[in-house]
Amino acid sequence: MSPIHLLQLLIFSVCIYSFSVFTYLVFYYDLISSVLFNEVQSEYDFIIVGSGTAGSLIAHRIAKETNYTFIVLEAGGRGHPFHDIPAFGPLLHQSIFDWNYETVPQENACFAMEKAKCKLTQGKIFGGSSKLNNMVHVQGNISHYVEWFHGKYTKNYIEEQFNYMKSNIFHLSNIQYESNLSDAVLKAAEELNFNLLDKDFEIGFIKSLVTQNNGKRWTTSYNLETSKYVLTNVLVEKLLFNDSTCVGVQIHSPKKIKLFAKKGVIVSAGTFNSAKILQLSGIGPKTLLDSLDITVRKELPVGNNLQDHIGTGLDLVLFNNAQSVQMFDIMNPWNVFQYFFKGRGPLTTPGCEVVGFISTKNETTPDLQFMVLPVGISADRGSYLRKALRIKDSVWKKYFSQIFDKHSATFLTLLLHPKSKGEVRIQSSDPTVPPLIDPKYLSHKDDIRTIANGVLMTRKLIETESLKAIGAHINNLPFPGCENFEIFSHLYLECYIKHLTLTSYHPVGTCTMGLPDSNKSVVDTSFRVLGIDNLYVVDGSVLPTLPSGNINAAIAMMANIFFENNIKQRYSMNIKISCDKITFKELVQKVCPVR
Ligand SMILES: Cc1cc2nc3c(=O)[nH]c(=O)nc-3n(C[C@H](O)[C@H](O)[C@H](O)COP(=O)(O)OP(=O)(O)OC[C@H]3O[C@@H](n4cnc5c(N)ncnc54)[C@H](O)[C@@H]3O)c2cc1C
């Protein structure tokens, strides 16, 4: 490493270290205050486990539109407003606000990572994974939603719900800061005859729409009054039952207590942890539960059908000049001023500036998504991002550190509808032990073929006049481990994808929604866990398949549909019944509609 790169590494490392110390201080302050000041009732109408995208949305609507009592139990801490600066998002990966999960060693993937394990970042913080995500908002193809509910809701109904969420829940905005690359990529796409889109699920390219409010990260948790409804740093161990009815939850820490729910427990702990909580509670595959001496309450395929959007493409594109934010731009006082006072500038960057959807089979629906980021992981000289992905030393030295003299960009090629499916299994009845996560990435050959076609499409994009004009060229350095293959041949691409396998952190499917008589279903199309009363799962885990794009909007949509049809409807019915015996006081308090 040259002296200048060494100096850069030193400066970046000091900054990142300082941020980590700050993060720890915030965490411990919050932990101590929550242990000292958290007040709990022993019984509520509803208990919501997890304050992520789904849990917070449901909680917000219950608080705003009903008189039901409820509590949200969140294993992570509250974080700090500095953690909401979009450009700092990646710094929370691998922090105390990340569950720090990883895959088991993969047979066909993740070879460039230590022990062939890919990192599986998931938020352990009030707001869940959306506090760590890239904020890209993609609605995806509505027909998937109709399929998930087996036709129970029409396309029109889903569209109405999205419109409702756009007007009443989401804060969406165009990106507030973009590099030269954005326009060049759109022009390149046009050169290749792709459409420029104004909707996100057709074939073509579009600048990212992001979940930001005035340049700041926005998540569904911002709608919720935290101090009143959320207990942070509370790890739910398992569910409590009376025969086949779920009656509450057992909390493991900060102290062992039981909380009860009269009307229902809503598990919104995310794709890995919802499966874990159900399995710890005796709902899951019998052989697994028997092997851990957990009494089987209901045999269901909990933990199966794990799917994820994976792909490749880190630092695949190089430039002689910087296209975008440099690490030092983040510290520039003018940029800090712009962020805090105008909600603009490099600190608002979500990373991904352009998304593209293509079909490798010439169909009208996409099978691949591109996410274009104007920086690569070599930009921080190995001080952080490399560690967050656990890239092996040898790979770093032979590949990423060889391009320090250039400026890299990332054209992530992501498989939208993988055929490979994996599983999540608890390995102990101790709730503090992480589950074994085996996504079986690339176990289906078709998945490799589709991603390889995407990499070839990236090469075509880079060869367009528009991208050549800004100095883009493909990184032709053979990837370590694949040197024996002719570069960009099919064998080379297969090797490259198996080595540099990247997840976009979109796991779904472990508590699959489906028809009650299917042996694949865990919840029915009303989100009820099959065979158990008063227990619902609502989060990414219920999605039976992946949507055609980033999944946060789809998860929010599921939560919205759950609220509308399970809670709001029930509440309206109760109000109607009680309003038949209306009192003057209720009329004054507007509990009942005026007749
Ligand atoms: C790094 C990253 C980048 C991403 N980028 C994008 C993007 O750009 N666009 C997009 O659309 N999607 C993106 N996603 C995906 C999206 O953000 C998530 O899929 C979504 O937020 C998941 O919502 P959820 O409600 O299912 O779970 P989560 O948001 O993960 O919420 C689960 C919550 O439950 C809590 N919990 C878990 N177990 C327990 C327990 N035992 N007791 C108490 N609490 C518990 C967790 O701490 C967490 O807060 C990204 C995800 C990640 C991780």
Side-chain angles (χ1 to χ4, degrees):
M1 204 186 291
S2 72
I4 182 78
H5 294 147
L6 207 59
L7 182 67
Q8 287 173 341
L9 173 63
L10 191 73
I11 296 171
F12 298 154
S13 302
V14 169
C15 295
I16 284 157
Y17 183 74
S18 314
F19 189 83
S20 307
V21 171
F22 167 74
T23 300
Y24 269 95
L25 289 176
V26 169
F27 174 76
Y28 283 111
Y29 172 77
D30 178 48
L31 183 65
I32 292 164
S33 26
S34 54
V35 170
L36 291 181
F37 302 116
N38 270 347
E39 275 182 33
V40 239
Q41 283 168 223
S42 62
E43 193 178 57
Y44 298 86
D45 286 327
F46 290 101
I47 292 175
I48 301 174
V49 183
S51 70
T53 302
S56 287
L57 190 148
I58 298 166
H60 159 67
R61 291 203 65 186
I62 299 182
K64 210 172 134 207
E65 297 171 51
T66 76
N67 283 341
Y68 288 141
T69 58
F70 73 94
I71 192 79
V72 180
L73 304 174
E74 169 53 54
R78 267 168 226 272
H80 184 277
F82 276 8
H83 290 138
D84 296 334
I85 299 175
F88 289 1
L91 297 181
L92 288 184
H93 296 202
Q94 278 222 89
S95 75
I96 204 137
F97 293 124
D98 179 353
W99 283 90
N100 283 301
Y101 287 163
E102 58 187 12
T103 66
V104 301
Q106 292 298 281
E107 278 177 29
N108 298 295
C110 310
F111 296 160
M113 288 48 170
E114 280 161 24
K115 298 187 183 155
K117 296 176 178 186
C118 274
K119 287 290 298 173
L120 295 169
T121 292
Q122 292 287 289
K124 187 181 186 182
I125 184 169
F126 173 53
S129 299
S130 54
K131 280 286 178 81
L132 278 65
N133 75 8
N134 293 102
M135 293 161 273
V136 176
H137 178 88
V138 173
Q139 180 175 306
N141 193 336
I142 302 281
S143 63
H144 292 305
Y145 296 72
V146 177
E147 279 163 25
W148 298 334
F149 287 103
H150 292 268
K152 185 173 175 183
Y153 303 114
T154 61
K155 233 174 146 182
N156 280 351
Y157 176 81
I158 307 279
E159 265 158 11
E160 272 169 29
Q161 294 299 309
F162 261 117
N163 289 339
Y164 171 84
M165 292 206 295
K166 274 186 198 145
S167 319
N168 297 284
I169 294 181
F170 288 141
H171 284 272
L172 301 176
S173 91
N174 295 321
I175 44 174
Q176 299 298 316
Y177 175 84
E178 59 185 271
S179 66
N180 301 333
L181 193 56
S182 298
D183 284 328
V185 170
L186 294 187
K187 280 191 201 141
E190 274 185 305
E191 272 187 59
L192 296 182
N193 292 325
F194 286 113
N195 290 334
L196 300 189
L197 302 175
D198 52 9
K199 297 193 196 88
D200 56 36
F201 61 86
E202 290 166 359
I203 305 293
F205 286 72
I206 185 171
K207 283 190 191 172
S208 303
L209 183 68
V210 287
T211 42
Q212 285 187 1
N213 189 6
N214 204 16
K216 297 185 175 57
R217 175 184 291 276
W218 177 86
T219 70
T220 52
S221 59
Y222 286 97
N223 289 342
L224 193 60
E225 205 181 321
T226 329
S227 53
K228 207 163 159 191
Y229 301 116
V230 187
L231 292 183
T232 47
N233 300 301
V234 167
L235 180 72
V236 171
E237 174 179 346
K238 59 183 179 182
L239 306 159
L240 302 171
F241 301 93
N242 188 355
D243 293 332
S244 62
T245 303
C246 180
V247 292
V249 300
Q250 164 92 47
I251 290 173
H252 177 267
S253 54
K255 53 184 174 195
K256 283 223 173 215
I257 49 167
K258 292 179 177 167
L259 294 185
F260 295 94
K262 284 183 276 185
K263 296 186 166 52
V265 173
I266 302 159
V267 180
S268 298
T271 294
F272 302 133
N273 286 316
S274 287
K276 179 181 157 194
I277 293 171
L278 261 59
Q279 290 174 357
L280 284 170
S281 311
I283 303 173
K286 187 173 180 318
T287 41
L288 169 75
L289 302 177
D290 285 347
S291 70
L292 296 168
D293 281 336
I294 296 174
T295 311
V296 181
R297 184 155 298 274
K298 177 78 188 164
E299 188 177 6
L300 286 174
V302 175
N304 295 357
N305 192 38
L306 173 64
Q307 295 159 67
D308 197 356
H309 282 148
I310 58 157
T312 194
L314 273 181
D315 295 42
L316 185 62
V317 180
L318 300 178
F319 296 87
N320 294 328
N321 302 312
Q323 296 304 306
S324 177
V325 199
Q326 298 290 286
M327 289 295 282
F328 289 112
D329 293 336
I330 307 279
M331 303 161 213
N332 178 328
W334 170 240
N335 292 334
V336 174
F337 172 83
Q338 281 212 80
Y339 173 74
F340 282 106
F341 293 96
K342 296 185 168 173
R344 292 186 170 275
L347 271 84
T348 67
T349 184
C352 171
E353 295 187 354
V354 173
V355 287
F357 301 90
I358 69 162
S359 167
T360 57
K361 300 182 187 78
N362 272 335
E363 288 170 356
T364 49
T365 51
D367 57 3
L368 275 179
Q369 180 179 357
F370 290 111
M371 291 178 72
V372 180
L373 294 81
V375 283
I377 60 161
S378 49
D380 76 359
R381 306 295 180 239
S383 53
Y384 185 75
L385 297 170
R386 169 218 162 166
K387 291 177 195 152
L389 292 170
R390 300 253 179 91
I391 303 253
K392 280 182 190 164
D393 276 355
S394 55
V395 173
W396 185 259
K397 279 188 198 131
K398 285 192 197 155
Y399 191 77
F400 294 98
S401 67
Q402 298 302 312
I403 52 174
F404 283 174
D405 291 335
K406 304 265 183 181
H407 296 272
S408 58
T410 295
F411 280 53
L412 278 183
T413 305
L414 297 166
L415 180 67
L416 285 174
H417 302 294
K419 293 187 179 166
S420 311
K421 293 186 178 145
E423 60 186 31
V424 174
R425 298 278 185 265
I426 49 170
Q427 49 179 328
S428 154
S429 55
D430 178 348
T432 61
V433 175
L436 292 173
I437 303 172
D438 185 0
K440 300 188 197 318
Y441 288 148
L442 305 175
S443 52
H444 199 293
K445 279 259 176 211
D446 287 358
D447 291 352
I448 301 177
R449 217 168 296 138
T450 312
I451 302 173
N453 287 335
V455 178
L456 293 174
M457 179 56 73
T458 300
R459 203 164 63 148
K460 275 192 187 164
L461 276 168
I462 301 309
E463 283 163 1
T464 56
E465 290 309 315
S466 312
L467 278 167
K468 274 202 266 178
I470 59 164
H473 52 279
I474 207 92
N475 181 354
N476 275 324
L477 213 58
F479 201 83
C482 308
E483 297 93 336
N484 291 339
F485 302 110
E486 187 195 336
I487 197 144
F488 292 111
S489 64
H490 280 290
L491 285 174
Y492 173 83
L493 288 174
E494 178 172 341
C495 177
Y496 172 72
I497 295 162
K498 285 183 170 179
H499 277 73
L500 192 58
T501 320
L502 304 169
T503 162
S504 52
Y505 311 103
H506 293 171
V508 302
T510 55
C511 300
T512 284
M513 174 180 279
L515 297 174
D517 53 3
S518 157
N519 59 7
K520 294 187 176 144
S521 314
V522 173
V523 299
D524 65 16
T525 52
S526 299
F527 300 87
R528 271 189 291 254
V529 173
L530 296 173
I532 309 278
D533 291 332
N534 289 1
L535 178 61
Y536 308 91
V537 181
V538 192
D539 57 19
S541 69
V542 301
L543 269 54
T545 54
L546 279 156
S548 301
N550 308 58
I551 64 174
N552 198 48
I555 294 170
M557 167 56 86
M558 297 306 260
N560 202 54
I561 292 185
F562 169 77
F563 175 81
E564 285 283 333
N565 295 283
N566 293 60
I567 298 189
K568 190 173 162 186
Q569 222 172 61
R570 175 182 190 154
Y571 184 71
S572 316
M573 269 167 56
N574 288 348
I575 287 280
K576 195 172 168 299
I577 292 164
S578 70
C579 285
D580 289 342
K581 304 173 210 143
I582 186 169
T583 64
F584 180 69
K585 194 172 157 218
E586 283 166 334
L587 187 65
V588 172
Q589 288 173 341
K590 294 199 178 133
V591 175
C592 292
V594 181
R595 284 176 287 186

